[in-house]
Amino acid sequence: CGAGTNAWFLIAALLFPEAPPEIEIALWGLSYLGLTMSLYIGVWRVFRPTSVIVRTIGLLLAVTLTTLLVTELAGINRGFYHGVWKGLYDEVQVYAITATMAWAGIESALYYRDLRRQIALGLSESGFAARFRLWSYASVAWVLFHVFLFSGRHGMLSLEFARPAMTFLALNGSVLI
């Protein structure tokens, strides 16, 4: 599942721009739901596989996002905000994916710090540690991108400021995959 499934939902949404709004909302919503949960599960399984708290938070996140998406598709929790037709799911989704990516960056930076100590002792390779450093950098870029996008969407900043971040993220997206 994961990233591959998200790509199919996004491709379908992009190939059929004339689709009814409900179909478009469902495709984009399912894509972002899958992306957020794939990222969350990946970080959980890599960094905190035995944590009951992280498992519980993930379950609550999945239930909350799924419920909000279903209610948005039913026509509840939708409205015209700041010139854009969107729902409560969109708002919560932005916070959820940004918080998940920030968590991934923090965990990667902490793991990189631990690996640097192991490198000094000859217990790890520098190339392996560099991957975690790059993941933490990419996570910071993703979080900054969402901050710019969120600010621009609400009129505090123009989306023109978000374009350099979007370009950086597109060029370095392979680090996350």
Side-chain angles (χ1 to χ4, degrees), residues 126-163:
S126 60
F128 183 67
R131 292 182 191 142
F132 288 96
R133 184 185 69 227
L134 290 174
W135 187 318
S136 66
Y137 291 164
S139 298
V140 168
W142 182 273
V143 170
L144 289 176
F145 165 71
H146 268 95
V147 168
F148 285 137
L149 185 63
F150 179 75
S151 299
R153 193 173 59 193
H154 286 25
M156 295 188 292
L157 290 175
S158 169
L159 282 177
E160 295 296 319
F161 290 110
R163 287 194 180 155

Coordinates of all heavy atoms in Angstrom, one line a residue, residues 126-163:
S126 N 29.7 5.6 7.8 CA 29.3 7.0 7.6 C 28.2 7.1 6.5 O 27.3 8.0 6.6 CB 30.5 7.9 7.3 OG 31.1 7.4 6.1
G127 N 28.2 6.3 5.5 CA 27.2 6.4 4.5 C 25.8 6.1 5.0 O 24.8 6.7 4.6
F128 N 25.7 5.1 5.9 CA 24.4 4.8 6.5 C 23.9 5.9 7.4 O 22.8 6.3 7.3 CB 24.6 3.5 7.4 CG 23.4 3.0 8.0 CD1 22.3 2.5 7.3 CD2 23.2 3.1 9.4 CE1 21.2 2.1 7.9 CE2 22.1 2.6 10.0 CZ 21.0 2.1 9.3
A129 N 24.8 6.6 8.1 CA 24.4 7.7 9.0 C 24.0 8.9 8.1 O 23.1 9.6 8.5 CB 25.6 8.1 9.9
A130 N 24.6 9.1 7.0 CA 24.3 10.2 6.1 C 22.9 10.1 5.6 O 22.2 11.2 5.4 CB 25.2 10.2 4.9
R131 N 22.3 8.9 5.5 CA 20.9 8.8 5.0 C 20.0 9.4 6.1 O 19.0 10.1 5.7 CB 20.6 7.3 4.8 CG 21.3 6.8 3.6 CD 20.9 5.3 3.4 NE 21.8 4.7 2.4 CZ 22.2 3.5 2.5 NH1 21.8 2.7 3.5 NH2 23.0 3.0 1.6
F132 N 20.2 9.2 7.3 CA 19.4 9.8 8.4 C 19.5 11.3 8.4 O 18.6 12.0 8.7 CB 19.7 9.1 9.7 CG 19.2 7.7 9.7 CD1 20.0 6.6 9.4 CD2 17.8 7.4 10.0 CE1 19.5 5.3 9.4 CE2 17.3 6.1 10.0 CZ 18.2 5.1 9.7
R133 N 20.8 11.8 8.2 CA 21.0 13.2 8.2 C 20.2 13.8 7.0 O 19.5 14.8 7.2 CB 22.5 13.5 8.0 CG 22.7 15.0 8.1 CD 24.2 15.4 7.9 NE 24.5 15.1 6.4 CZ 25.5 14.5 6.0 NH1 26.4 14.0 6.8 NH2 25.7 14.3 4.7
L134 N 20.2 13.2 5.9 CA 19.5 13.7 4.7 C 18.0 13.7 4.9 O 17.3 14.6 4.5 CB 19.9 12.9 3.5 CG 21.3 13.2 2.9 CD1 21.6 12.2 1.8 CD2 21.5 14.6 2.5
W135 N 17.5 12.6 5.6 CA 16.1 12.5 5.9 C 15.7 13.6 6.8 O 14.6 14.2 6.7 CB 15.8 11.2 6.5 CG 14.3 10.9 6.7 CD1 13.4 11.8 7.1 CD2 13.6 9.7 6.4 NE1 12.1 11.2 7.1 CE2 12.3 9.9 6.7 CE3 14.0 8.5 5.9 CZ2 11.3 8.9 6.6 CZ3 13.0 7.5 5.8 CH2 11.7 7.7 6.1
S136 N 16.5 14.0 7.8 CA 16.2 15.0 8.7 C 16.1 16.4 8.0 O 15.3 17.2 8.2 CB 17.1 15.1 9.9 OG 18.4 15.4 9.5
Y137 N 17.1 16.6 7.0 CA 17.1 17.8 6.2 C 15.8 17.9 5.4 O 15.2 19.0 5.3 CB 18.3 17.9 5.3 CG 19.6 18.1 6.1 CD1 20.8 17.9 5.4 CD2 19.7 18.5 7.4 CE1 22.0 18.0 6.0 CE2 20.9 18.7 8.0 CZ 22.1 18.4 7.3 OH 23.3 18.6 7.9
A138 N 15.5 16.8 4.7 CA 14.3 16.8 3.9 C 13.0 17.0 4.7 O 12.1 17.7 4.2 CB 14.2 15.5 3.1
S139 N 13.0 16.5 5.9 CA 11.8 16.7 6.8 C 11.7 18.2 7.1 O 10.6 18.8 7.2 CB 12.0 15.9 8.0 OG 12.0 14.5 7.7
V140 N 12.8 18.9 7.4 CA 12.8 20.3 7.7 C 12.3 21.0 6.5 O 11.4 22.0 6.6 CB 14.2 20.8 8.1 CG1 14.2 22.3 8.2 CG2 14.6 20.2 9.5
A141 N 12.7 20.7 5.3 CA 12.3 21.3 4.1 C 10.8 21.1 3.9 O 10.0 22.1 3.5 CB 13.0 20.8 2.9
W142 N 10.3 19.9 4.2 CA 8.8 19.6 4.0 C 8.0 20.5 5.0 O 7.0 21.0 4.7 CB 8.6 18.2 4.3 CG 7.2 17.7 4.1 CD1 6.2 17.8 5.1 CD2 6.6 17.3 3.0 NE1 5.1 17.3 4.6 CE2 5.2 17.0 3.3 CE3 7.0 17.0 1.7 CZ2 4.3 16.5 2.4 CZ3 6.1 16.5 0.8 CH2 4.8 16.3 1.1
V143 N 8.5 20.6 6.3 CA 7.8 21.3 7.3 C 7.8 22.8 6.9 O 6.7 23.5 7.0 CB 8.4 21.1 8.7 CG1 7.8 22.1 9.7 CG2 8.1 19.7 9.1
L144 N 8.9 23.3 6.5 CA 8.9 24.7 6.0 C 8.0 25.0 4.8 O 7.4 26.0 4.7 CB 10.4 25.2 5.7 CG 11.3 25.3 6.9 CD1 12.7 25.6 6.4 CD2 10.8 26.4 7.8
F145 N 8.0 24.0 3.9 CA 7.1 24.1 2.8 C 5.6 24.2 3.2 O 4.9 25.1 2.8 CB 7.3 22.9 1.9 CG 6.2 22.7 0.9 CD1 6.0 23.5 -0.2 CD2 5.3 21.7 1.0 CE1 5.0 23.4 -1.1 CE2 4.2 21.5 0.1 CZ 4.1 22.3 -1.0
H146 N 5.2 23.4 4.2 CA 3.9 23.5 4.7 C 3.6 24.8 5.4 O 2.5 25.3 5.4 CB 3.5 22.3 5.5 CG 2.9 21.2 4.7 ND1 3.7 20.2 4.2 CD2 1.7 20.9 4.3 CE1 2.9 19.3 3.5 NE2 1.7 19.8 3.6
V147 N 4.6 25.3 6.1 CA 4.4 26.6 6.8 C 4.2 27.7 5.8 O 3.2 28.5 5.9 CB 5.6 26.9 7.7 CG1 5.6 28.4 8.2 CG2 5.6 26.0 8.9
F148 N 5.0 27.7 4.7 CA 4.8 28.7 3.6 C 3.4 28.5 2.9 O 2.7 29.5 2.7 CB 5.9 28.6 2.6 CG 7.2 29.2 3.0 CD1 8.4 28.5 2.8 CD2 7.3 30.4 3.7 CE1 9.6 29.0 3.2 CE2 8.5 30.9 4.1 CZ 9.6 30.2 3.9
L149 N 3.1 27.3 2.7 CA 1.8 27.0 2.0 C 0.6 27.4 2.8 O -0.3 28.0 2.4 CB 1.7 25.5 1.6 CG 0.5 25.1 0.8 CD1 0.5 25.8 -0.6 CD2 0.5 23.6 0.6
F150 N 0.7 27.0 4.1 CA -0.4 27.4 5.0 C -0.5 28.9 5.2 O -1.6 29.4 5.1 CB -0.1 26.7 6.4 CG -1.2 27.0 7.4 CD1 -2.4 26.4 7.4 CD2 -0.9 27.9 8.4 CE1 -3.4 26.6 8.3 CE2 -1.9 28.2 9.4 CZ -3.1 27.6 9.3
S151 N 0.6 29.6 5.3 CA 0.5 31.0 5.4 C 0.0 31.7 4.1 O -0.8 32.6 4.2 CB 1.9 31.6 5.7 OG 2.4 31.1 6.9
G152 N 0.4 31.2 3.0 CA -0.1 31.7 1.7 C -1.5 31.4 1.5 O -2.3 32.3 1.0
R153 N -2.0 30.3 1.9 CA -3.4 29.9 1.7 C -4.3 30.8 2.5 O -5.5 31.0 2.1 CB -3.6 28.5 2.0 CG -4.9 27.9 1.6 CD -5.0 26.5 1.8 NE -4.9 26.2 3.2 CZ -4.7 25.0 3.7 NH1 -4.6 24.0 2.9 NH2 -4.6 24.8 5.0
H154 N -3.8 31.3 3.6 CA -4.7 32.2 4.4 C -4.4 33.6 4.3 O -4.8 34.4 5.1 CB -4.5 31.8 5.9 CG -5.2 30.5 6.2 ND1 -5.4 29.5 5.3 CD2 -5.6 30.0 7.4 CE1 -6.0 28.5 5.9 NE2 -6.2 28.7 7.1
G155 N -3.6 34.0 3.2 CA -3.5 35.4 2.9 C -2.4 36.1 3.6 O -2.2 37.3 3.4
M156 N -1.6 35.5 4.6 CA -0.6 36.2 5.3 C 0.7 36.3 4.4 O 1.4 37.3 4.5 CB -0.2 35.4 6.6 CG -1.4 35.4 7.6 SD -1.0 34.8 9.2 CE -0.7 33.1 8.8
L157 N 0.9 35.4 3.5 CA 2.0 35.4 2.6 C 1.5 35.0 1.2 O 0.5 34.2 1.1 CB 3.2 34.5 2.9 CG 4.0 34.8 4.2 CD1 5.0 33.7 4.4 CD2 4.8 36.1 3.9
S158 N 2.1 35.5 0.2 CA 1.7 35.1 -1.2 C 2.2 33.7 -1.4 O 3.3 33.3 -0.9 CB 2.3 36.1 -2.2 OG 2.2 35.6 -3.5
L159 N 1.6 33.0 -2.3 CA 2.0 31.7 -2.7 C 3.3 31.8 -3.5 O 4.0 30.8 -3.7 CB 1.0 30.9 -3.5 CG -0.1 30.3 -2.7 CD1 -1.2 29.6 -3.6 CD2 0.4 29.3 -1.7
E160 N 3.7 32.9 -4.0 CA 5.0 33.1 -4.7 C 6.1 32.8 -3.7 O 7.2 32.3 -4.2 CB 5.1 34.6 -5.2 CG 4.1 34.9 -6.2 CD 4.3 34.1 -7.5 OE1 5.4 33.9 -7.9 OE2 3.2 33.7 -8.1
F161 N 6.0 33.0 -2.4 CA 7.0 32.7 -1.5 C 7.2 31.1 -1.3 O 8.2 30.6 -0.9 CB 6.8 33.3 -0.1 CG 7.0 34.8 -0.2 CD1 5.9 35.6 0.0 CD2 8.2 35.4 -0.4 CE1 6.1 37.0 -0.1 CE2 8.4 36.7 -0.4 CZ 7.3 37.6 -0.2
A162 N 6.1 30.4 -1.6 CA 6.1 29.0 -1.4 C 6.7 28.3 -2.6 O 7.2 27.1 -2.5 CB 4.7 28.5 -1.2
R163 N 6.8 29.0 -3.8 CA 7.4 28.3 -4.9 C 8.8 27.8 -4.8 O 9.2 26.7 -5.2 CB 7.2 29.2 -6.2 CG 5.7 29.2 -6.6 CD 5.5 29.7 -7.9 NE 4.1 29.7 -8.2 CZ 3.5 30.5 -9.0 NH1 4.2 31.4 -9.7 NH2 2.2 30.4 -9.2

